[in-house]
């Protein structure tokens, strides 16, 4: 059985804690590897080594650091197929989806090639007699990234790119459910010229996370995962004086106005609701048609599209729409929530609970489920299901639909489908949600904008990637200098006293 350890000091090393977790192939239910779960002592040693290595890396000029990013982009492109295959094998998503996972991470690395521009400070010449004032952005030292299972390439790359190119060393604690790709990314960083010890990938569970949170050398923690853990990490990191940005779960609503192009809306909903088996923080899990007539037309358009969905393992070809969910526990949780929806009176229009695939009976597949007439008090509406389950909540008016999305505790993404510019503009301006799509179901901002949710989808005040990421992984120092020549009468750069 393959054993996955850690990536420390520029190479893979075995874990020493004696604790392991199983890594499954979600399509077959087989255990395909064991991943080491690091102890506090392993974490503390890796953090100390990272701190030592960071001194020289932080002092390396930004352009040289950016060249490592440039090389990393070409290596990610070179190994795209290999990375996607390893990703699909542990996560279960289709190969095109896995390539998208790598690609969206790679785009942030491309953005980080511009790190020297992002790190430039500001300068005020002659702020007073002989006085200049300037600010600089300096790395924090050792920072941490703690990432979820659902984007094992993209989110680690979102963390690594800005943190490393800004001159920090990073401890990356990826999800223990699909650890292979982050380990491969670390090896590519070494190949790209990143000095040893600057990126330490430590696999583990709560013990590893707590060791990161309690270690005083770690200056900042970037977390992505479920809301309860985001909340916990944010508070514990803050208590220990660390900077923290913690992104959590989601319940993304898509509002469909009566004037929307219904074919476009239905296509968008099927892709955004069922793609990647609904295991995306930007998946649409709630459809809110405005008016009963719109709802009826929408359901009529959705049904044949959902019937056509092909569910299968990633090995079955590129026409598979989505694969299994990640674990048996995830599958059981999804089925339990679907049952609760039925018990609480929602109409299960498409029932995927009994879905089974010949030859893959032990895989964690869930057929698509479509609910109609869901109400806000139901558990399937309040909770994040993180599976191929789309709930329809019928709204009587635009204001009611807007109010639903605004009142929900999550605020990651949302979308409105309409042909009316006024309504779209009003929606974008009033909604209390971080990422908004207008006739775009999954409005994931590009690398040079920033990504982040509001309300219980995000704790902390700076977003991921874009300029915010460089602000998060650096701190500003402002220097005021006075030189005697500026005080001399007649000096070339003499100014009369300004203060
Ligand atoms: P998770 O919260 O279970 O795990 C995330 C990370 O936290 C992992 O590295 C895990 O090892 C660690 N962890 C788990 N339990 C812990 C504990 N008790 N103490 C300390 N650390 C712990 O999340 P997941 O299931 O891997 O990912 C799915 C979740 O992530 C969904 O809720 C999804 O919406 C969310 N997500 C959010 C975003 C976003 O940007 N907002 C993006 C992707 C995923």
């Amino acid at each position: 059985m393959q054993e996955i350890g850690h990536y420390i000091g520029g190479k893979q090393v075995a874990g020493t804690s004696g604790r392991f977790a199983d890594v499954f192939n979600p399509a077959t239910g087989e255990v395909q590897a064991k991943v080491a779960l690091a102890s506090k002592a392993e974490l503390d040693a890796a953090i100390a080594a990272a701190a030592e290595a960071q001194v020289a890396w932080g002092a390396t000029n930004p352009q040289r650091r950016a060249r490592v990013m440039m090389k990393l982009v070409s290596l990610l492109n070179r190994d795209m197929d290999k990375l996607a295959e390893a990703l699909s094998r542990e996560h279960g998503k289709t190969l095109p989806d896995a390539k998208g996972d790598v690609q969206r991470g790679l785009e942030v690395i491309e953005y980080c090639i511009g790190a020297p521009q992002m790190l430039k400070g500001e300068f005020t010449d002659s702020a007073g007699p002989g006085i200049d004032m300037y600010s600089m952005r300096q790395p924090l030292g050792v920072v941490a990234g703690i990432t979820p299972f659902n984007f094992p390439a993209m989110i680690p790359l979102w963390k690594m790119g800005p943190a490393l190119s800004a001159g920090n060393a990073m401890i990356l604690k990826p999800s223990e459910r699909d650890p292979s790709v982050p380990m491969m990314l670390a090896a590519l960083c070494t190949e790209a010229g990143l000095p040893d010890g600057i990126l330490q990938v430590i696999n583990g569970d709560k013990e590893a996370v707590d060791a990161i949170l309690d270690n005083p050398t770690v200056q900042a923690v970037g977390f992505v995962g479920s809301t309860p853990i985001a909340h916990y990490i944010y508070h514990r990191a803050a208590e220990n004086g660390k900077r923290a940005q913690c992104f959590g779960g989601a319940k993304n609503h898509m509002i469909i106005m009566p004037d929307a192009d219904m074919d476009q809306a239905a296509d968008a909903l099927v892709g955004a609701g069922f793609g990647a088996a609904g295991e995306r923080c930007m998946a649409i899990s709630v459809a809110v048609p405005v008016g009963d007539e719109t709802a009826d037309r929408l359901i009529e358009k959705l049904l044949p599209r959902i019937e056509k969905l092909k569910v299968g393992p990633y090995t079955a070809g590129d026409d598979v729409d989505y694969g299994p969910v990640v674990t048996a526990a995830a599958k059981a949780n999804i089925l339990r929530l679907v049952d609760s929806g039925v018990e609480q009176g929602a109409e299960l229009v498409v029932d995927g609970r009994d879905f089974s695939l010949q030859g893959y009976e032990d895989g964690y597949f869930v057929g698509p489920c479509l609910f109609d007439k869901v109400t806000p008090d139901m558990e399937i509406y309040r909770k994040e299901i993180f599976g191929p389950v789309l709930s329809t909540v019928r709204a009587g008016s635009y204001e009611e639909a807007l109010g639903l999305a605004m009142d929900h505790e999550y605020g990651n993404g949302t979308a409105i489908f309409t042909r009316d510019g006024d309504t779209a503009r009003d929606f974008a301006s009033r909604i209390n949600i971080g990422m908004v799509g207008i006739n775009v179901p999954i409005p994931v901002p590009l690398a040079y904008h920033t990504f982040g949710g509001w309300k219980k989808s995000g704790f902390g005040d700076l977003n991921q990637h874009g300029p915010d990421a460089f602000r998060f992984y650096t701190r500003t120092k402002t220097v005021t200098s006075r030189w005697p020549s500026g005080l001399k009468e007649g000096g070339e750069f003499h100014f009369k006293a300004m203060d």
Side-chain angles (χ1 to χ4, degrees):
M1 170 92 40
Q2 186 200 354
E3 262 183 32
I4 301 166
H6 313 294
Y7 196 90
I8 297 176
K11 57 181 186 301
Q12 298 208 27
V13 299
T16 57
S17 71
R19 292 197 307 127
F20 293 90
D22 290 335
V23 179
F24 293 91
N25 177 342
T28 61
E30 285 160 354
V31 177
Q32 54 183 343
K34 291 205 169 293
V35 61
L37 301 175
S39 64
K40 181 175 181 321
E42 284 173 292
L43 253 300
D44 287 344
I47 293 167
E52 217 177 295
Q54 190 274 333
V55 177
W57 178 243
T60 301
N61 81 57
Q63 192 140 17
R64 275 180 193 268
R65 295 197 303 249
R67 282 189 198 123
V68 174
M69 297 293 124
M70 213 182 295
K71 181 80 191 202
L72 182 58
V73 167
S74 70
L75 298 179
L76 288 167
N77 276 313
R78 183 197 70 190
D79 285 2
M80 175 69 80
D81 290 343
K82 221 158 76 180
L83 287 161
E85 212 276 330
L87 199 158
S88 292
R89 201 171 53 234
E90 288 181 357
H91 177 287
K93 64 175 75 173
T94 65
L95 280 175
D97 235 5
K99 285 182 192 164
D101 192 327
V102 179
Q103 177 64 28
R104 293 309 291 261
L106 183 158
E107 286 167 13
V108 169
I109 304 298
E110 283 174 337
Y111 174 72
C112 292
I113 295 171
Q117 172 69 16
M118 300 309 301
L119 297 172
K120 267 191 341 199
E122 292 175 326
F123 187 86
T124 300
D125 172 44
S126 300
I131 295 178
D132 299 325
M133 195 174 287
Y134 60 95
S135 60
M136 48 181 146
R137 291 200 163 277
Q138 294 192 318
L140 299 174
V142 179
V143 299
I146 301 169
T147 56
F149 83 86
N150 68 324
F151 282 99
M154 180 182 86
I155 297 181
L157 288 166
W158 284 9
K159 303 285 173 216
M160 286 155 48
L164 302 180
S165 59
N168 300 286
M170 170 164 265
I171 304 294
L172 176 68
K173 207 304 283 169
S175 170
E176 62 276 38
R177 292 181 222 159
D178 44 13
S180 287
V181 169
M183 296 289 281
M184 292 165 79
L185 295 177
L188 290 181
C189 283
T190 301
E191 192 180 341
L194 190 74
D196 295 349
I198 297 300
L199 176 66
Q200 315 267 54
V201 180
I202 313 291
N203 287 302
D205 55 5
K206 182 170 164 48
E207 182 173 340
V209 171
D210 286 347
I212 291 171
L213 295 175
D214 294 343
N215 188 304
T217 302
V218 176
Q219 299 295 306
V221 178
F223 170 85
V224 181
S226 60
T227 288
I229 310 298
H231 184 263
Y232 164 74
I233 289 180
Y234 184 69
H235 283 85
R236 188 148 170 178
E239 241 170 56
N240 288 332
K242 299 185 198 312
R243 195 179 282 196
Q245 56 169 206
C246 299
F247 298 95
K251 195 79 180 175
N252 304 320
H253 292 51
M254 176 168 139
I255 292 163
I256 303 100
M257 296 300 292
D259 66 352
D261 180 319
M262 218 45 75
D263 284 303
Q264 221 181 65
D267 284 340
L269 265 176
V270 170
F274 301 106
E279 289 177 323
R280 291 178 179 141
C281 68
M282 289 295 277
I284 295 288
S285 48
V286 183
V288 189
V290 172
D292 271 333
E293 201 207 329
T294 311
D296 292 340
R297 278 197 294 145
L298 181 70
I299 300 276
E300 194 184 303
K301 298 271 184 196
L302 283 174
L303 287 176
R305 287 168 166 83
I306 295 175
E307 261 161 35
K308 271 198 222 131
L309 285 174
K310 190 171 167 196
V311 182
Y314 75 93
T315 43
D318 283 359
D319 62 335
V320 171
D321 290 294
Y322 73 82
V325 297
V326 69
T327 54
K331 177 174 174 174
N333 184 47
I334 294 162
L335 296 182
R336 188 195 66 73
L337 281 162
V338 175
D339 288 346
S340 88
V342 174
E343 280 154 25
Q344 295 186 334
E347 260 179 43
L348 187 56
V349 188
V350 180
D351 184 354
R353 285 177 293 181
D354 289 333
F355 180 88
S356 172
L357 204 60
Q358 210 185 352
Y360 294 91
E361 288 81 2
D362 294 331
Y364 314 133
F365 294 96
V366 180
C369 296
L370 175 66
F371 275 112
D372 192 6
K373 302 192 179 152
V374 173
T375 54
D377 54 311
M378 293 178 183
E379 200 183 356
I380 48 167
Y381 179 74
R382 287 184 286 106
K383 289 213 168 130
E384 181 182 44
I385 301 176
F386 226 53
V389 182
L390 181 62
S391 296
T392 310
V393 182
R394 294 174 174 232
S397 65
Y398 164 67
E399 285 297 331
E400 191 188 329
L402 177 74
L404 276 169
M406 295 207 32
D407 289 346
H408 205 285
E409 65 173 356
Y410 291 117
N412 212 39
T414 188
I416 187 166
F417 273 62
T418 180
R419 288 189 173 97
D420 184 78
D422 231 16
T423 310
R425 186 175 186 282
D426 182 79
F427 183 74
S429 142
R430 287 166 66 195
I431 195 77
N432 55 357
I433 288 173
M435 292 169 281
V436 182
I438 297 171
N439 299 317
V440 172
I442 304 190
V444 176
L446 291 175
Y448 41 94
H449 288 266
T450 67
F451 182 109
W454 291 13
K455 300 187 273 182
K456 291 211 170 138
S457 296
F459 304 89
D461 65 351
L462 288 169
N463 280 350
Q464 306 190 84
H465 63 66
D468 269 13
F470 281 95
R471 291 187 193 113
F472 183 74
Y473 287 116
T474 56
R475 59 186 141 211
T476 306
K477 185 181 280 175
T478 308
V479 180
T480 305
S481 64
R482 166 176 253 158
W483 295 98
S485 68
L487 295 171
K488 283 189 203 140
E489 277 301 332
E492 202 182 339
F493 294 106
H494 175 77
F495 288 84
K496 289 267 178 253
M498 295 164 81
D499 48 359

